[in-house]
Amino acid sequence: MLHIPILRKGKPYYSVDVARTVHHRTREPFVEISQANVGLIRRDLLDQETPRRLLARFSTRELLDLCRRAAGHFLHDPLPLGEQRQGPDEYVRALSATTGMPHVLVRKNMAKIHGVLAEMESVLAGLTRGLDLDILDRGFGEADGHAVSFFPRGDALGVVLPNNSPGVHSLWIPAFAMKIGLVLKPGSAEPWTPYRIIQALMQAGAPPEAFSYYPTDHAGANEILRQCGRGMLFGDVGSTKAWRADPRVELHGPGYSKIVLGEDVIGEWEQYLDVMVASIVDNGGRSCVNASGVWVPRHADAIAEALAERLARIVPRPAEDEEALLAPFADAQVARRLSQMIDQDLYGEGATDVTARRRGAPRIAEFEGCTYLLPTVIRCHDPEHPLANREFLFPYASVVETPQEHLPEALGPTLVVTAITRDPALTRRLLSSPHVGRLNLGPIPTMRIQWDQPHEGNLFDHLFARRAFQSAYAAELAAV
Amino acid sequence: MVAWHFSPETGCPFWLDYAAHLGWDPRREIQTYADLDKLGFFQDEWLRGGPVRRWVPKGFAGRPVSVFETGGSTGVPKSRINIEDFRIDYEQFSRTLPDDAFPKGADWLQVGPTGPRRLRLAVEHLAQHRGGICFMVDLDPRWVIKLIKWGEMQMAERYKQHVIDQALILLKAHPNIKCLFITPKLLEALCEKVSLKKLGITGVFCGGTEMTPQFCRFAVEELLEGVYFAPTYGNTLMGLATHKPLSAEDNYAIIYYPPSPRAMIEVVDPDEPTRVVGYGETGRARLTTLTRETFIPRFLERDECEREAPVDLYPWDGVRNVRPFRRFSSTVVEGVY
């Protein structure tokens, strides 16, 4: 059986404690993953300075070249996986086996990661707002005629990763190009992608010491966040709660992303149906940037019916099928309980499952031994209804009617808002709202990501702080 | 032993009262170890709350009695009375410790739970039995549990450092301390600060909480630099089990043998706890304690483990990789990521 080791500053370590992740369909053990004990993590993290020192020997330009080479290795080459090597097709099959994600979606996510590595220069330009990269190397310089100096807030970035979609791994990769050591805790069902990214970067010439990879339990994950100078945590509402007050840790919880149509365009809503469908369905509805709500001032019934008609056509297909859009649940019980939760909230007045009427079949579907939740559109008549502002790990959206003047307050915290409107007053309110994480003005799917834009906080601002700086030794400093 | 506990002259009020309600005389009906099944399962609720004197055998009337408590993470802690048992248990355990690692006459440091726990007196007695003097640093695990429940992780960390700081002061001030009792987490924390080997420690007796094989390997390979490592499993109700020496051959499995015949651990089918599972099979730990001070038949522990075959050193059943007993329950996760 495949065995994925721990990486201790790049060095493989095989633990006595092993977790076995099963194939989502057969439920047979598919891969063994070495588990790191808390003390081992803690001991390793006593030295976070060495990785940063080794990375500091490279210029940012050299690291960008290295990322470009790594992009090719990631996409095309066999790379070490424990004592074996794993080709790109094997990677696709393995990731699909443990998460259920269809191959076509895995490949799309691979392309996304390749894009971030290959385009790291533009990613850094976006995150640093076009800062001269030499300033990152020297720690000081001049920007727009002003002296600037930046310092890292910590030597290492600890990242607790999720299982839902490999695309999220593109969020932490820029830390490497900013010369910050990485300490990763992979998701139990998705150990593949972070390991492959690390191997691609090492193959391209990155110092192995820059990467620590600790599959571990909840206590180990917390230890990583406690010990690293900066952290990133992907998780549900419950698991991120404990870290809400800690500014060292950037939280990536549910997105509750939404599409909003303004009064000025609502009469032509049919034109935007494709944008709505893509925002809800792409990537199997598994991302925080998938829309989980469509908020409109009128025509909610008609929009819900039209969406339901389109979404009810989507059916489970084999993982290898190029047309596959849905991922099964690795644990059938979770699917059943989620469906029950939705049904419970449908009792009484105020909400209707419009897709159920269209489909004439239950939300839960069994296909080739796997359990799926079929796309679901809920028409909520009250913005306060418990199903109006929810997010699940499958294509799900509420359609909510609310007066335009109640927006954006009625939306609540929202990661991505695609606002289809030219109304200047609504646009102004959206621009000034602290609840809106990313704002797309116009018919842009919520899933469309520009890598030069920040995502749930700016990684550069998270990792670096600006200090006041002036110097009387310009000539001497030039040699620094 | 059954005759002692159920005799009106020597038994304790609890068991005499229990027998009075049985309708049969255990002294007559229980003739073998297997016959203990007739008494049913010992309920841990019986040990919570008073009067604690109902557990004192009449045969020990007038003797000084100690009371030891379990962790007490939820509600009223379980308590067990002790007169001589902890001394006997630790003297027996002492015979399993190698003299080169735990030299006779060397002093000890205990860093771990004291207060109402058996360890407080037991480790000190072990040190004294081996001719040493025992220094103590106290840790209150109930306070740590509260801090964790409140989410006060930073405060829990500071408390741990407070304990470690005290241990360091003692270790540096008393060069005759060569033996250490410490819990696994405190051992990790202590080894972050100092080399125990350089401080002259030759043996570490580690216990108090669950240890995984990976922890043991980590301790041997990375924390202790050759200092002898004795991981142990004990609890207030059983006494102290001894470990089979760790080896890479066993994949660092932690194999314990109970202090038979004073206590037996059997591994039973969780769904049919009268059935002992086969060697190598996983099951729930079932304890039977049989000393003159304490009679605890067929007590289902909150631990699971594998049943281990006897070895030359311990020709009775052992247990492998004891860990908390849990039936898996799934939680619904909404909005992963």
Side-chain angles (χ1 to χ4, degrees), chain A residues 95-96 112 136 141 149 225 310 318 357 375 384 396 415 420 428 430 435:
Chain A
L95 197 150
S96 176
K112 200 184 267 187
L136 282 185
S149 174
L225 294 177
R310 292 279 296 273
R357 275 206 314 256
E384 298 295 319
Y396 168 93
L415 176 57
I420 307 176
R428 261 198 308 277
L430 287 163
H435 286 324

Side-chain angles (χ1 to χ4, degrees), chain A residues 8 13-16 37 39 42-43 164 168 234-236 252-253 288 337 341 390-391, chain B residues 153 157 160-161 188 191-192 213-214 217-218 222-223 251 330 332-337:
Chain A
R8 304 176 70 180
Y13 176 91
Y14 291 83
S15 172
V16 175
N37 53 299
R42 204 179 152 92
R43 194 166 180 85
N164 62 321
V168 302
F234 294 82
D236 60 16
H252 296 258
C288 55
R337 292 176 68 175
M341 278 168 64
R390 295 290 278 277
E391 176 178 305
Chain B
M153 303 309 293
E157 184 66 26
K160 184 165 79 177
Q161 288 311 324
E188 285 173 354
C191 292
E192 278 174 19
Q214 172 59 25
R217 173 191 172 191
F218 173 65
E222 302 191 35
L223 299 181
N251 215 14
S330 57
V332 170
V333 178
E334 185 180 347
V336 184
Y337 157 58

Side-chain angles (χ1 to χ4, degrees), chain B residues 4-318:
Chain B
W4 167 274
H5 284 289
F6 289 97
S7 157
E9 288 75 41
T10 51
C12 69
F14 178 88
W15 284 118
L16 294 178
D17 181 55
Y18 192 86
H21 290 87
L22 282 175
W24 48 276
D25 187 348
R27 288 174 295 178
R28 214 167 294 140
E29 301 286 329
I30 298 175
Q31 296 297 322
T32 66
Y33 179 77
D35 289 343
L36 288 172
D37 284 351
K38 294 177 184 173
L39 288 168
F41 294 101
F42 189 93
Q43 303 299 313
D44 68 347
E45 287 308 311
W46 296 341
L47 293 171
R48 294 186 199 275
V52 75
R53 287 178 187 276
R54 66 187 167 150
W55 297 103
V56 180
K58 288 183 181 172
F60 289 120
R63 297 280 300 274
V65 176
S66 304
V67 62
F68 299 140
E69 292 178 3
T70 56
S73 54
T74 50
V76 180
K78 283 178 278 187
S79 37
R80 173 187 172 180
I81 63 104
N82 252 265
I83 297 159
E84 283 295 330
D85 269 356
F86 73 93
R87 293 190 182 90
I88 298 167
D89 287 342
Y90 276 70
E91 283 170 21
Q92 284 191 354
F93 173 71
S94 176
R95 288 182 215 137
T96 71
L97 294 177
D99 286 349
D100 55 340
F102 298 91
K104 298 275 172 62
D107 292 339
W108 284 63
L109 172 63
Q110 187 203 331
V111 192
T114 57
R117 281 158 212 88
R118 188 186 51 144
L119 280 167
R120 159 72 183 89
L121 291 177
V123 175
E124 184 168 46
H125 180 72
L126 175 67
Q128 289 170 348
H129 180 69
R130 297 179 70 85
I133 295 169
C134 188
F135 293 83
M136 296 271 176
V137 178
D138 183 33
L139 171 96
D140 179 357
R142 293 177 191 169
W143 179 238
V144 177
I145 289 168
K146 277 201 170 153
L147 290 173
I148 292 169
K149 274 189 183 162
W150 294 335
E152 297 277 359
M153 303 309 293
Q154 209 180 348
M155 194 55 79
E157 184 66 26
R158 286 168 76 178
Y159 181 54
K160 184 165 79 177
Q161 288 311 324
H162 166 64
V163 171
I164 293 300
D165 289 347
Q166 295 173 73
L168 284 172
I169 289 168
L170 290 171
L171 284 171
K172 287 174 183 168
H174 298 280
N176 195 42
I177 297 176
K178 298 194 181 313
C179 310
L180 185 65
F181 170 85
I182 194 163
T183 63
K185 283 221 180 315
L186 291 174
L187 176 64
E188 285 173 354
L190 186 59
C191 292
E192 278 174 19
K193 303 271 184 185
V194 285
S195 158
L196 291 178
K197 190 177 182 181
K198 282 187 188 155
L199 280 177
I201 296 294
T202 52
V204 171
F205 162 26
C206 189
T209 59
E210 180 201 3
M211 271 171 277
T212 63
Q214 172 59 25
F215 169 80
C216 290
R217 173 191 172 191
F218 173 65
V220 169
E221 290 183 352
E222 302 191 35
L223 299 181
L224 291 172
E225 305 164 280
V227 172
Y228 187 87
F229 182 59
T232 51
Y233 171 67
N235 63 42
T236 309
L237 306 187
M238 175 188 73
L240 194 61
T242 46
H243 73 286
K244 182 181 170 193
L246 288 171
S247 76
E249 250 172 43
D250 283 329
N251 215 14
Y252 290 90
I254 312 166
I255 300 167
Y256 297 117
Y257 288 87
S260 182
R262 294 168 56 76
M264 298 279 287
I265 308 175
E266 289 150 303
V267 186
V268 297
D269 180 344
D271 296 318
E272 195 190 330
T274 51
R275 187 181 75 80
V276 175
V277 302
Y279 287 116
E281 289 180 21
T282 303
R284 189 168 177 181
R286 190 183 74 179
L287 169 73
T288 296
T289 301
L290 295 167
T291 72
R292 282 184 184 261
E293 289 172 23
T294 304
F295 178 60
I296 300 177
R298 309 302 191 239
F299 174 70
L300 291 169
E301 291 274 15
R302 294 182 175 189
D303 293 324
E304 65 181 19
C305 49
E306 283 73 45
R307 183 183 175 194
E308 190 69 20
V311 291
D312 287 346
L313 201 54
Y314 308 107
W316 54 84
D317 277 9

Side-chain angles (χ1 to χ4, degrees), chain A residues 317-329:
Chain A
R317 293 172 184 277
E320 304 78 11
D321 191 324
E322 289 298 309
E323 303 288 313
L325 289 172
L326 297 178
F329 278 74

Side-chain angles (χ1 to χ4, degrees), chain A residues 385-462:
Chain A
H385 191 279
L387 289 172
N389 217 338
R390 295 290 278 277
E391 176 178 305
F392 298 101
L393 201 60
F394 74 105
Y396 168 93
S398 60
V399 181
V400 184
E401 203 167 274
T402 189
Q404 182 165 303
E405 55 270 27
H406 292 179
L407 299 179
E409 289 74 20
L411 301 177
T414 304
L415 176 57
V416 187
V417 172
T418 283
I420 307 176
T421 182
R422 286 194 172 84
D423 182 302
L426 177 57
T427 304
R428 261 198 308 277
R429 290 207 301 277
L430 287 163
L431 281 166
S432 61
S433 170
H435 286 324
V436 178
R438 305 175 74 114
L439 179 61
N440 298 334
L441 288 176
I444 301 165
T446 56
M447 293 288 292
R448 189 182 297 165
I449 301 289
Q450 293 286 348
W451 292 115
D452 63 351
Q453 298 295 310
H455 178 88
E456 280 192 272
N458 180 320
L459 185 63
F460 176 68
D461 293 343
H462 186 52

